[in-house]
Amino acid sequence: MNPLFTNLITFIRTASSSIIAIVGAMIGSSILLLLTGINPFSVYSLIITEATGTEFGINKTLVETVPFVMTVVGLLISFRASLWNIGGLGQMFIGALFANVIGYSLGFLPSILLIPLTLLAGFVGGLVWALFPGLLKAKLGINEIITTLLLNFVAINLIHFLIKGILRNELEPFPQTYPIAPGAVLQKIPGTQIHIGIFFAIAITIIVHILMVKTRLGFQIKLMGESLKAARYAGLPIAKLTIVVFILSGGIIGLAGAIQVTAVMKNVNPDWNPAYGLEAVPLVFLSKMNVIVAALLAFLYSIFFVGVDIMQRTVGLPIYFREVFLGLMLTLFTISEVTRKFLPR
Amino acid sequence: MFNPQDALLASFIISTIAGALRSMTPILLTAIGENFAESSGILNLGTEGIMLIAAFTGFITTLATNSIIFGLLMAMLVGTMLGLIIAFITVTLQADQIVTGIALTMFSLGITSYMVRIIYGTGLPPRVPSMELTTIPLLASIPVGPTIFTQPFLVWVSLILIPVTYYILFKTSFGLKLRAVGEDPRSAYKMGVNVYLYRYVALIIGGVLAGLGGAYLSLFHISTFVDNITQGRGWIAIAIVMFGRWNPLWILVGGLIYGGAESLSGSIQALGVLRGVPTEFMLTLPYILTIAALGILSKRATFPAALGKPYKKETS
């Protein structure tokens, strides 16, 4: 048989659940739109044209791609080990705040030192916030889904407390932090609104891909994710691996928060909702834990994300449309993954 | 001699206890339901989602019919349906319980906030009439009684359910079989127990009670609906079931810890003891205490052996 044809068959077999999930979620969300008196065809075509058809839309999509790609990559490391880090929201928030504090208070340093330190601070912030649930899981076996999720609420309230208290910028009427020093700002690619953070996202994707497929650590993470029992028999240090996974996962997501601060927001205000941490979760499952596929899905999702965001402001489409879509997509994905085994091969 | 400071302290303590009972109720209802589900071997992570949709349904129904009873009934009906859907996906189709729960929660957060925007635009949803309070006759006549023993009836329902659930799980044949299904479905099947049926029933009980817990939030706790009204309470209920080691009596202890923390963070602000400590700081207290409680008591946990694992019917 033609090798191209067999490759195509293999691809369809592997990707069928993800394709069914995406198409099904589009149909399901269209029904919701119809029921609530909105024309689904105009919504979906507007999403595409708003997010990819104008210079503003393209710039915005590529800017939003950066945190999404980094978040899916960060989450993927933990999901691959069957450790369910649902705390990306909190980790990104804390990472952004750490970066903000360092980028402001060490503002006297030259950029060449300040930028790496600021980004490192973000990595450390996300790491710290992921380390709590990591340690609780590794040492006491406490369910990490619960702890990471509850720590999101702690992070939100803690940050609001700090922004309204000791970190408040006294010069502004509304609560927000002091902006980072000009030397800490990540520059834009000349002639666009796209910042150089996008190269970080690409680099992290490639590094983590190599980590997962070529290194011993990646192999151990995979083994642990596929069968904890087998990993124990093989003598893997499960507790140590668990902590390493949470450090990498939270650190990368914290770094994404730092990039948002240094390139886009310049400071942190209580209205910022780093929803990337939650909205990226279904994308990781759909990628079937492949780093490159996950990054591509994150890029595609950014189009949808930006399209809905613009439509909220122009025609009042509730942005919660995104969560409806994601929830449907993930439900259909998990159903079609298991129904395959009921079908004849 | 009458000391105004003592009187203030006494009223502070009494109102904190009364508040703890009210804050505990939605958690307790949901946790009791989750206890049934987990004892049968299904880790239902959809509790937050069920609570959200039930809170919204109960709210809308109460507004439309002007009857809280109808609101509660609709919330329970919706909880039943969601319990059935989760049962179909995780028991019959044997899908991953973790992914299913996360997916349902995400969908519920989306659909409820979406519908609020569609119905009310950018304005705030209206308030519902307050739930009637029920007084416990004799206890309410003792000095501290009136504040503590006059509560919405769901508070009393949730407390009564604790011994009832304990009795069902540990003293009846239904409870024995349910736990057998959660420990070792294969042996339970060989002994003639219908594993799927027991898991369906357990998930439906979980759905109904999470539905009541959610409706309590919108119909009594804040008497309106806001985005993400549950604020993680569905997850806290799951945490408390784990803390309570699948024993309703310990779940009550966990509920009291959470309820006490939530109530304390409210009443400390009201009293102004810690002036200058913003609301947000106190709001982290219930979450941190829940995590801490999990950490301190986790070593004693003995999981239902088959928890989280799908069971495939033997065909022979």
Side-chain angles (χ1 to χ4, degrees):
Chain A
M1 214 191 296
N2 185 341
L4 191 70
F5 184 69
T6 38
N7 282 344
L8 191 69
I9 294 286
T10 325
F11 170 76
I12 291 174
R13 245 171 218 272
T14 330
S16 60
S17 321
S18 309
I19 294 166
I20 290 170
I22 294 171
V23 174
M26 287 175 84
I27 296 170
S29 58
S30 296
I31 294 172
L32 175 72
L33 289 171
L34 272 177
L35 290 176
T36 48
I38 303 169
N39 180 349
F41 296 103
S42 68
V43 165
Y44 276 106
S45 61
L46 271 174
I47 284 174
I48 305 285
T49 51
E50 293 282 5
T52 62
T54 67
E55 203 182 314
F56 174 76
I58 293 169
N59 277 320
K60 203 163 157 48
T61 300
L62 287 172
V63 168
E64 295 292 355
T65 301
V66 176
F68 267 120
V69 166
M70 295 185 65
T71 307
V72 291
V73 171
L75 292 180
L76 192 143
I77 297 175
S78 93
F79 288 10
R80 197 73 189 85
S82 287
L83 293 168
W84 312 107
N85 174 12
I86 315 293
L89 189 154
Q91 289 146 21
M92 188 177 285
F93 228 146
I94 301 288
L97 193 76
F98 270 45
N100 190 181
V101 169
I102 293 297
Y104 168 73
S105 54
L106 299 183
F108 53 85
L109 290 174
S111 283
I112 191 117
L113 284 174
L114 184 57
I115 291 179
L117 279 176
T118 307
L119 296 180
L120 181 69
F123 188 91
V124 171
L127 178 162
V128 166
W129 211 245
L131 196 59
F132 291 123
L135 284 170
L136 287 171
K137 173 76 178 182
K139 302 285 175 201
L140 299 170
I142 297 175
N143 188 309
E144 74 285 3
I145 304 178
I146 310 283
T147 48
T148 51
L149 207 121
L150 294 185
L151 282 170
N152 285 342
F153 291 98
V154 177
I156 292 169
N157 286 312
L158 189 67
I159 283 187
H160 286 203
F161 162 65
L162 292 172
I163 295 176
K164 289 175 185 170
I166 53 171
L167 294 180
R168 179 169 180 162
N169 181 349
E170 304 289 351
L171 306 172
E172 295 287 340
F174 297 107
Q176 53 187 285
T177 59
Y178 287 98
I180 51 167
V185 173
L186 275 191
Q187 296 306 314
K188 293 189 166 69
I189 298 170
T192 69
Q193 291 298 309
I194 304 155
H195 56 80
I196 55 173
I198 198 159
F199 300 117
F200 283 87
I202 295 169
I204 294 265
T205 306
I206 294 168
I207 292 169
V208 173
H209 178 68
I210 292 169
L211 173 85
M212 298 307 273
V213 298
K214 296 266 190 238
T215 68
R216 220 174 110 84
L217 178 64
F219 174 75
Q220 291 179 332
I221 290 174
K222 258 187 230 171
L223 183 61
M224 187 181 158
E226 262 143 39
S227 166
L228 198 56
K229 211 183 255 178
R232 277 218 181 88
Y233 277 127
L236 297 189
I238 302 292
K240 211 175 102 188
L241 272 175
T242 301
I243 292 171
V244 169
V245 163
F246 271 97
I247 285 177
L248 287 176
S249 182
I252 291 173
I253 296 170
L255 179 60
I259 289 177
Q260 282 303 97
V261 164
T262 51
V264 184
M265 305 186 306
K266 312 296 189 300
N267 73 350
V268 180
N269 73 69
D271 293 332
W272 185 45
N273 172 18
Y276 314 100
L278 291 175
E279 295 188 21
V281 169
L283 308 176
V284 183
F285 287 110
L286 253 72
S287 77
K288 299 218 167 164
M289 312 286 175
N290 179 315
V291 181
I292 305 290
V293 174
L296 287 174
L297 282 173
F299 166 68
L300 290 177
Y301 184 71
S302 308
I303 295 174
F304 182 70
F305 181 89
V306 169
V308 174
D309 202 55
I310 296 175
M311 287 190 69
Q312 186 209 13
R313 269 173 279 151
T314 52
V315 297
L317 176 73
I319 45 165
Y320 294 95
F321 182 64
R322 293 202 297 253
E323 271 83 8
V324 175
F325 182 91
L326 287 171
L328 282 174
M329 187 173 79
L330 191 55
T331 310
L332 291 168
F333 174 76
T334 178
I335 290 175
S336 51
E337 276 288 276
V338 288
T339 39
R340 269 204 306 198
K341 67 184 177 198
F342 292 105
L343 299 175
R345 279 192 176 267
Chain B
M1 205 181 81
F2 177 73
N3 184 339
Q5 264 192 335
D6 286 353
L8 196 64
L9 184 67
S11 86
F12 170 78
I13 293 171
I14 291 167
S15 67
T16 304
I17 293 172
L21 288 175
R22 287 194 293 274
S23 297
M24 174 175 76
T25 300
I27 305 286
L28 218 49
L29 288 167
T30 310
I32 293 166
E34 180 71 9
N35 193 356
F36 277 98
E38 290 191 17
S39 289
S40 85
I42 300 289
L43 179 62
N44 176 11
L45 295 185
T47 47
E48 177 92 354
I50 300 175
M51 285 178 87
L52 270 169
I53 291 189
F56 180 74
T57 314
F59 170 74
I60 290 288
T61 312
T62 302
L63 279 184
T65 61
N66 213 13
S67 153
I68 285 183
I69 297 298
F70 271 122
L72 288 174
L73 285 175
M74 274 306 282
M76 286 163 75
L77 187 67
V78 156
T80 308
M81 277 159 50
L82 290 171
L84 258 175
I85 291 171
I86 295 172
F88 178 71
I89 296 175
T90 60
V91 179
T92 305
L93 297 179
Q94 299 155 29
D96 189 297
Q97 294 165 22
I98 291 170
V99 186
T100 306
I102 295 171
L104 179 74
T105 304
M106 203 167 248
F107 174 78
S108 309
L109 179 62
I111 193 82
T112 50
S113 299
Y114 177 90
M115 290 311 292
V116 167
R117 295 297 176 296
I118 292 292
I119 299 172
Y120 302 107
T122 49
L124 282 177
R127 296 182 67 81
V128 289
S130 287
M131 201 183 276
E132 251 176 77
L133 302 179
T134 312
T135 305
I136 304 281
L138 281 173
L139 291 169
S141 52
I142 60 173
V144 298
T147 320
I148 294 178
F149 294 104
T150 307
Q151 305 275 13
F153 78 96
L154 275 179
V155 172
W156 310 124
V157 170
S158 74
L159 286 173
I160 292 166
L161 277 174
I162 294 287
V164 169
T165 306
Y166 184 86
Y167 181 80
I168 293 175
L169 282 179
F170 296 105
K171 305 285 174 196
T172 65
S173 131
F174 170 81
L176 182 74
K177 286 176 185 163
L178 189 77
R179 287 184 297 124
V181 164
E183 289 292 341
D184 186 354
R186 196 156 303 217
S187 307
Y189 173 76
K190 284 187 184 133
M191 284 159 60
V193 180
N194 186 338
V195 175
Y196 281 17
L197 179 69
Y198 272 77
R199 289 187 165 175
Y200 263 82
V201 170
L203 280 167
I204 288 171
I205 296 174
V208 171
L209 290 177
L212 270 182
Y216 176 90
L217 290 173
S218 60
L219 297 185
F220 178 76
H221 211 58
I222 62 169
S223 295
T224 183
F225 188 87
V226 294
D227 290 344
N228 201 1
I229 186 173
T230 46
Q231 289 289 306
R233 285 183 179 87
W235 299 97
I236 285 174
I238 299 170
I240 280 171
V241 177
M242 290 176 175
F243 161 88
R245 296 164 295 144
W246 302 274
N247 180 337
L249 303 178
W250 277 99
I251 286 176
L252 176 63
V253 175
L256 279 168
I257 293 175
Y258 173 84
E262 191 187 306
S263 171
L264 202 61
S265 77
S267 53
I268 283 180
Q269 286 161 40
L271 197 64
V273 180
L274 300 173
R275 228 180 281 278
V277 177
T279 325
E280 286 81 6
F281 187 73
M282 296 308 298
L283 287 177
T284 62
L285 198 63
Y287 302 104
I288 292 174
L289 273 179
T290 305
I291 295 171
L294 256 182
I296 290 161
L297 274 174
S298 65
K299 278 283 176 198
R300 295 196 272 155
T302 45
F303 282 77
L307 184 62
K309 299 185 187 103
Y311 169 69
K312 195 170 181 296
K313 240 184 223 169
E314 268 114 312
T315 39
S316 57

